[in-house]
Amino acid sequence: MRFLVCLKQVPDSTVKVKVGAGGKAVATEGITWSMSPYDEYAVELALERKDADPTTVVSVVTVGSARGRDALRQALAMGCDDATLVNAPEDLPALDVAKALAAVAKEMKPDIVLCGKQASDDDQGLVGPAVAEFLGWPHVGMLTKAVSSGDAWELWREVEGGHEVWKAKPPVVGLVHKSDKEPRYPSLPGIMKAKKKEIPEKDLASLGVTASSPKIEVAAMDLPPQRGGGKIFKLDGDAKAVAEQVANLLHTESKVL
Amino acid sequence: MTPPTQGIWSFVLLAVTLIAAAAFGYRVWHLYRLLRLGKDESRLDHPWRRLRDELVVYLGQRKLIKRPYWIRGIGHALIFWGFLVITWGSADLLLRGIVGWQMPFTDTVWYAWMLDFFAVAVLASVAVAVLRRAVLRPARMHRMPEGYVILGLIGFLMLTLVVFESAFVASRRDELGGHFGTPPPLARLFAPLIPTPTGGALFAGAWWAHVLTILAFAVYLPRTKHLHIVTTLFNVGFRKQTPRGQLSLIKDIENQESFGAATIRDFSWKQLLDGYTCTECGRCSDNCPALATGKPLDPQKIVLDIRDQLLREGPKLLGAKLNGTKANGDAATPPSHWVETKPEELWACTTCAACVEACPVTIEHIDKIVDMRRHLTLMEGAAPPESQRAMTNIERAGNPWGEPRDARGDWAQGLEIPTIAEKPDAEYLYFVGCAASYDRRNQRVARALATILKSAGVSFAILGAAETCNGDPARRLGNEYLYQLQAQQNIETMNALRTRKVITSCPHCFNTIANEYPQIGGNYEVTHALPLVRRLIAEKRIALSEAGAGAPGREATTDVVAYHDPCYLGRHNGIYDEPRAVLDAIPGVVRKEIAPHHRERGFCCGAGGGRMWMEEKIGQRVNHRRIEQLVMADTKATKVASGCPYCLIMLEEGVGAKGIAEQVKPVDVLELVAARLQQNTTQGSAPN
């Protein structure tokens, strides 16, 4: 059984986001980058299968700048078997990214391609379904678990109030929402091995991808307005009296009534 | 005294003695070989301190005679000192019996008196010890039968000693002309009860019984926990002389292949010796906050698990070592199994050092626990999931909360606190730490300290966003790698500064920077804020007045303040007096103790050792127990003061959960000081 997990390196969730000079993108100077959280879940979900069946091979791939190597190393440290970096400009349109990923999948012939359901930076949620489309494979979204059953896979999807279990025959593309366990913390030997592992590079041309898809242009980017400080009122009296005063304040102060 | 070993009997005694010596020696040799299965570790630094420890801790029994074990401790010391005095006499008996030589001083009057004094003292102590085990049945003691055998042997030795001494004097009544002359005093007392004719036989019988019991004791001893009589000598001599709060460094970590301890071969010989030395007294367990609140951790079991596995599997490992050829090397070594200690026991530890403090024979519990945690975290990636989140946060954001790295200095906004980049010639660097940087409650403590330092005219600056977590939580969670990365980053930053003087308001930052950074090239003059403030008060650089005094319309108030000892100030670094001195120097503050759980018996808040970053699902929460102790101590305190951000967070949660948040307010001592500064220029904090 072979998994191919598609990763994206994004600004870490602990970074205090600032808008860059042009007012159209996040300032990225000196910030910490990490693997997008849904992609971490995807890696964990695949590795849980590898835990159950050690013959499983888990490959990871990312499309973008050299910085993406760190995300690949993180995945290797967690226990993935091999990693591929597809060199591409940072602003490659999402559909071209999907084409590149589909081309890699065609070469590797995995049984399942996993993507995080969306990247935590731009939250487009576009690449995963597009990869399925370019490959002509079925795709299943909101995955939380994948269990092999005979020649098919039981794919668990989180839905309102519970789970749906779909069955799919490989090859299939899955978009991961969460994993059973939290993504694993890499062991130190894992980190050291990952540091030494070679990460082959590919470029778009060798995959037969030309950047031709329409590009999204961000018109403007702003931080949400700062919230004003609240006011604290000291109210006396029994519940009824306090409730009256609150109602009064909602009318006179905040003018919501 | 002529021994009853004329003729052939001296050869019999010689033979029996040799057999006993061989049985003793064989066992000791075996134990020594097992010990050598452990890793090498040098314990020869600070020879004078080691000598001092032998005198004070081994001979002086210093760690036995302490609160709350005064009586039992004195009882043990009497038996031990008696053992030393009487062993001298026993050697004398054997020498005289076999070759007719004698030990020095054994004929002196003062030795006879000493011998008899200890015979009585030991008998009395043995009686008390038996009664205590039989009647009081302390829960912390496990192997009762073995204890009874030993106590019985000791008691029998004393009785036979008194009997043969008395019988000897009685048998020579005629020779001595009716008066028994000079001591032994006990003999003088009891000899009149023994008729002269039976004296000779009784003497021979009791003498042989005494001598054979000594030899039996020598054979039995190294096969029981009473081996500690011997091993304590070495365990004390080889105890850790580095600071208690310093964990061992994994050198060249990036090029090692295995980390921490999972089997007995991963521990050092000294850690294995700890197992031989454990007397199973249970004082460690008695004082453990995790055990007290129903966690699966029992520090005594940690030590005994390792010892038991060594005794059980060590011989097989030794055999394999002998049979293994050089060609296949370690392949012949059978797999050594996990010690029986379970991960949930290890994760329950707060590294508060109550066990280490309580142990009379200087066993090092925390180091073993952290070594086993290192295996779990570094080799298996198996730290509890919540703590993994904290570690990822430290890795990516430089703080376990996962707050933005950039925002580290935000607490100081508007307070005119310079960064060290802005004020490179500052006398002190204030290393703020993650809690005071990001936790809203503890930001008030940082502001309080800044106010005090400004008021005293102390020149200081902070690192701001250039500071990163000191690494303590990572290190104590077993993640030595992450610790070293954080520490190296800070050391690189701090070594580039002009000042070497560092202030911390967090005992964990203090302990790590003062005691652990020197291991990897960070040597600074570190002080926790409370000793510094103590000095500022003594030097009259800050003046304090009663809260509210002078303010129009307000009367001076009195605060009754209970002091809670943070483990990493107190037990780990011996800072007990300075925080109390600061409290005592504050006008209008009446200091109270949370007795008996104060000073070196202070009870942990539950957050140390990385516990801050784990859920506490088993048993009672440690901080809730702490609040119960505060209530029980009946101090009438309106505030409970500490000197640690973790303690503050835990105490805040505790008073809330226990529903006494209105009666007792947790504060940091620094906040109390800041609130009473004269001409308080503070924009900073006043304790609520």
Side-chain angles (χ1 to χ4, degrees):
Chain A
M1 190 59 58
R2 182 161 193 162
F3 282 84
L4 176 65
V5 185
C6 309
L7 308 180
K8 185 177 183 187
Q9 177 88 321
V10 297
D12 188 70
S13 58
T14 64
V15 168
K16 198 166 152 187
V17 174
K18 289 179 199 142
V19 177
K24 293 190 174 183
V26 171
T28 55
E29 231 162 88
I31 65 167
T32 311
W33 297 82
S34 61
M35 195 192 307
S36 173
Y38 294 112
D39 298 348
E40 276 188 300
Y41 283 128
V43 169
E44 175 62 29
L45 192 149
L47 289 176
E48 276 163 22
R49 294 336 306 160
K50 188 176 163 73
D51 291 342
D53 172 10
T55 63
T56 304
V57 175
V58 181
S59 307
V60 286
V61 58
T62 189
V63 177
S65 69
R67 197 177 49 226
R69 279 175 177 279
D70 291 345
L72 295 175
R73 294 230 184 269
Q74 167 79 10
L76 291 173
M78 289 168 77
C80 295
D81 296 275
D82 58 79
T84 307
L85 171 69
V86 179
N87 276 315
E90 293 229 5
D91 59 350
L92 190 71
L95 285 178
D96 289 336
V97 171
K99 273 185 208 161
L101 291 172
V104 171
K106 271 181 199 154
E107 277 181 16
M108 286 197 183
K109 302 192 175 38
D111 301 281
I112 298 189
V113 172
L114 292 181
C115 304
K117 67 171 181 177
Q118 69 206 72
S120 69
D121 53 354
D122 53 24
D123 286 324
Q124 286 185 27
L126 182 56
V127 170
V131 169
E133 198 60 35
F134 288 129
L135 287 168
W137 297 358
H139 106 262
V140 182
M142 293 297 281
L143 282 196
T144 59
K145 203 189 327 196
V147 186
S148 123
S149 92
D151 59 345
W153 280 80
E154 278 181 9
L155 300 170
W156 292 55
R157 312 179 58 238
E158 187 162 300
V159 293
E160 186 69 39
H163 276 95
E164 273 178 5
V165 182
W166 289 16
K167 246 187 188 174
K169 277 195 181 156
V172 57
V173 177
L175 308 189
V176 177
H177 169 60
K178 229 174 150 46
S179 50
D180 245 6
K181 290 190 205 127
E182 281 295 297
R184 63 197 58 196
Y185 195 80
S187 72
L188 187 48
I191 294 172
M192 292 304 151
K193 255 203 281 182
K195 273 193 178 181
K196 288 178 197 140
K197 211 161 215 167
E198 198 133 321
I199 297 180
E201 290 184 25
K202 291 181 190 292
D203 49 41
L204 295 177
S206 73
L207 291 168
V209 176
T210 44
S212 57
S213 305
K215 200 177 249 182
I216 293 167
E217 198 181 316
V218 175
M221 188 179 273
D222 284 305
L223 288 177
Q226 282 239 324
R227 268 191 290 181
K231 278 188 194 168
I232 296 173
F233 297 92
K234 259 238 174 306
L235 302 179
D236 294 316
D238 58 11
K240 186 162 180 284
V242 171
E244 273 170 18
Q245 294 175 68
V246 171
N248 238 333
L249 287 169
L250 287 172
H251 181 62
T252 56
E253 280 289 327
S254 63
K255 307 201 184 340
V256 293
L257 293 181
Chain B
M1 195 185 311
T2 326
T5 53
Q6 278 72 40
I8 185 75
W9 289 108
S10 67
F11 290 100
V12 173
L13 181 59
L14 176 66
V16 179
T17 305
L18 287 178
I19 290 167
F24 178 84
Y26 174 77
R27 178 66 178 176
V28 168
W29 171 241
H30 178 66
L31 292 175
Y32 173 76
R33 285 178 67 219
L34 291 180
L35 206 64
R36 295 300 303 267
L37 285 170
K39 284 189 185 164
D40 283 341
E41 183 186 10
S42 172
R43 293 281 184 129
L44 297 171
D45 53 321
H46 301 97
W48 292 109
R49 292 214 314 241
R50 293 185 188 282
L51 182 64
R52 178 205 151 269
D53 281 343
E54 291 291 8
L55 295 176
V56 176
V57 179
Y58 185 64
L59 291 179
Q61 301 274 289
R62 180 64 191 88
K63 289 201 81 193
L64 273 140
I65 307 172
K66 64 196 298 188
R67 200 162 65 94
Y69 307 104
W70 297 114
I71 296 175
R72 285 155 273 181
I74 289 169
H76 183 277
L78 287 173
I79 296 181
F80 173 70
W81 293 326
F83 161 80
L84 293 181
V85 170
I86 289 159
T87 301
W88 189 269
S90 305
D92 183 68
L93 291 181
L94 290 172
L95 270 181
R96 286 192 202 215
I98 297 168
V99 285
W101 301 344
Q102 67 179 80
M103 296 284 285
F105 315 121
T106 45
D107 277 343
T108 62
V109 173
W110 58 267
Y111 181 77
W113 273 90
M114 213 158 69
L115 197 67
D116 280 4
F117 167 76
F118 278 112
V120 175
V122 169
L123 265 180
S125 302
V126 165
V128 171
V130 169
L131 282 177
R132 198 165 73 83
R133 281 167 176 73
V135 180
L136 297 179
R137 300 184 162 273
R140 63 195 168 88
M141 308 189 105
H142 297 288
R143 303 198 186 178
M144 307 287 268
E146 206 179 282
Y148 286 128
V149 172
I150 290 286
L151 288 171
L153 281 174
I154 297 172
F156 187 67
L157 275 178
M158 297 307 111
L159 287 174
T160 49
L161 173 73
V162 173
V163 169
F164 82 69
E165 276 190 345
S166 307
F168 181 72
V169 174
S171 71
R172 302 180 61 211
R173 193 178 264 123
D174 296 340
E175 278 171 62
L176 296 167
H179 83 94
F180 304 118
T182 44
L186 283 179
R188 203 167 20 159
L189 196 63
F190 292 116
L193 305 177
I194 304 167
T196 309
T198 49
L202 191 58
F203 166 66
W207 191 95
W208 274 105
H210 182 82
V211 167
L212 291 176
T213 306
I214 291 169
L215 297 176
F217 202 96
V219 175
Y220 183 60
L221 179 113
R223 288 158 175 85
T224 67
K225 63 176 187 167
H226 291 82
L227 180 61
H228 77 267
I229 301 173
V230 184
T231 45
T232 302
L233 178 67
F234 300 100
N235 216 48
V236 168
F238 293 124
R239 79 189 282 194
K240 176 162 139 179
Q241 293 292 354
T242 46
R244 182 180 280 174
Q246 183 195 83
L247 295 172
S248 68
L249 180 74
I250 302 182
K251 287 184 191 137
D252 191 23
I253 190 164
E254 298 207 339
N255 295 312
Q256 305 290 325
E257 280 172 3
S258 112
F259 308 94
T263 76
I264 47 171
R265 302 214 59 179
D266 300 328
F267 292 102
S268 79
W269 61 268
K270 170 59 179 63
Q271 291 180 330
L272 300 180
L273 181 63
D274 276 353
Y276 289 167
T277 313
C278 179
T279 68
E280 300 173 30
C281 73
R283 288 189 187 189
C284 52
S285 310
D286 233 10
N287 288 279
C288 175
L291 182 65
T293 54
K295 312 291 187 293
L297 172 65
D298 177 346
Q300 177 178 255
K301 180 176 173 292
I302 300 277
V303 177
L304 295 182
D305 276 353
I306 297 170
R307 179 195 71 185
D308 290 346
Q309 198 203 9
L310 179 63
L311 295 179
R312 196 173 57 241
E313 291 178 12
K316 272 180 268 168
L317 291 171
L318 278 178
K321 239 171 116 183
L322 289 179
N323 298 331
T325 59
K326 271 188 184 167
N328 56 6
D330 281 342
T333 311
S336 188
H337 306 291
W338 246 106
V339 291
E340 276 168 24
T341 310
K342 299 278 175 299
E344 58 269 27
E345 298 172 46
L346 301 173
W347 296 120
C349 176
T350 66
T351 69
C352 77
C355 51
V356 179
E357 176 73 33
C359 181
V361 294
T362 68
I363 286 171
E364 294 148 9
H365 308 71
I366 296 176
D367 305 74
K368 293 177 196 34
I369 292 173
V370 172
D371 274 354
M372 288 188 272
R373 282 184 176 186
R374 282 176 176 172
H375 174 88
L376 290 174
T377 303
L378 295 177
M379 295 301 287
E380 297 183 8
E386 322 90 74
S387 73
Q388 294 182 4
R389 170 50 52 192
M391 291 192 281
T392 305
N393 286 336
I394 292 173
E395 196 179 306
R396 294 181 185 170
N399 69 86
W401 274 274
E403 294 287 329
R405 200 181 279 277
D406 282 354
R408 198 165 180 102
D410 286 4
W411 67 273
Q413 269 171 13
L415 297 183
E416 289 164 9
I417 297 170
T419 63
I420 201 100
E422 292 160 355
K423 191 178 176 185
D425 58 348
E427 185 187 355
Y428 285 99
L429 171 72
Y430 172 27
F431 190 96
V432 185
C434 305
S437 294
Y438 296 109
D439 175 62
R440 279 176 174 274
R441 178 67 188 86
N442 278 294
Q443 285 176 345
R444 304 218 301 259
V445 179
R447 290 191 201 110
L449 176 59
T451 309
I452 297 167
L453 294 177
K454 281 187 175 183
S455 167
V458 173
S459 152
F460 75 102
I462 60 172
L463 284 169
E467 184 182 291
T468 188
C469 174
N470 70 72
D472 158 89
R475 190 169 219 199
R476 275 150 191 84
L477 286 166
N479 196 337
E480 179 73 5
Y481 184 58
L482 180 56
Y483 158 72
Q484 289 189 13
L485 291 177
Q486 294 295 309
Q488 275 156 2
Q489 198 179 327
N490 277 324
I491 289 171
E492 208 169 288
T493 308
M494 286 157 69
N495 279 353
L497 304 180
R498 255 177 247 171
T499 181
R500 312 303 288 171
K501 293 186 177 177
V502 179
I503 309 172
T504 73
S505 50
C506 168
H508 297 267
C509 295
F510 170 72
N511 180 67
T512 300
I513 300 174
N515 295 331
E516 301 193 312
Y517 279 16
Q519 290 176 309
I520 46 174
N523 294 287
Y524 314 101
E525 202 182 298
V526 194
T527 173
H528 183 268
L530 289 176
L532 177 71
V533 169
R534 162 85 191 114
R535 215 166 68 224
L536 295 175
I537 293 172
E539 291 169 359
K540 303 210 178 345
R541 288 175 69 181
I542 50 175
L544 303 174
S545 59
E546 296 199 15
R554 283 182 63 192
E555 281 182 29
T557 52
T558 303
D559 272 337
V560 180
V561 180
Y563 180 66
H564 162 86
D565 283 281
C567 307
Y568 276 79
L569 268 195
R571 272 190 299 268
H572 277 288
N573 286 294
I575 300 175
Y576 298 111
D577 295 328
E578 289 93 335
R580 289 177 167 80
V582 171
L583 283 174
D584 292 344
I586 305 174
V589 163
V590 178
R591 173 169 60 88
K592 294 283 182 182
E593 296 289 343
I594 310 175
H597 297 285
H598 62 137
R599 299 189 68 94
E600 79 286 353
R601 287 197 68 214
F603 195 84
C604 182
C605 73
R611 288 285 334 162
M612 178 79 189
W613 309 105
M614 289 178 240
E615 287 181 28
E616 194 173 344
K617 293 174 218 154
I618 313 171
Q620 188 188 23
R621 289 178 60 99
V622 173
N623 59 332
H624 293 181
R625 176 64 61 86
R626 185 54 173 157
I627 298 298
E628 285 173 9
Q629 291 173 347
L630 173 65
V631 174
M632 293 272 284
D634 198 24
T635 55
K636 309 270 189 298
T638 53
K639 295 200 163 102
V640 51
S642 173
C644 172
Y646 285 173
C647 293
L648 186 52
I649 292 170
M650 298 309 262
L651 293 171
E652 287 276 12
E653 196 279 335
V655 293
K658 287 277 165 192
I660 56 166
E662 291 300 313
Q663 292 87 40
V664 189
K665 296 215 181 301
V667 292
D668 192 288
V669 176
L670 293 171
E671 294 180 289
L672 295 174
V673 174
R676 286 168 171 79
L677 282 176
Q678 265 178 21
Q679 293 126 25
N680 199 341
T681 53
T682 175
Q683 310 97 316
S685 72
N688 43 7

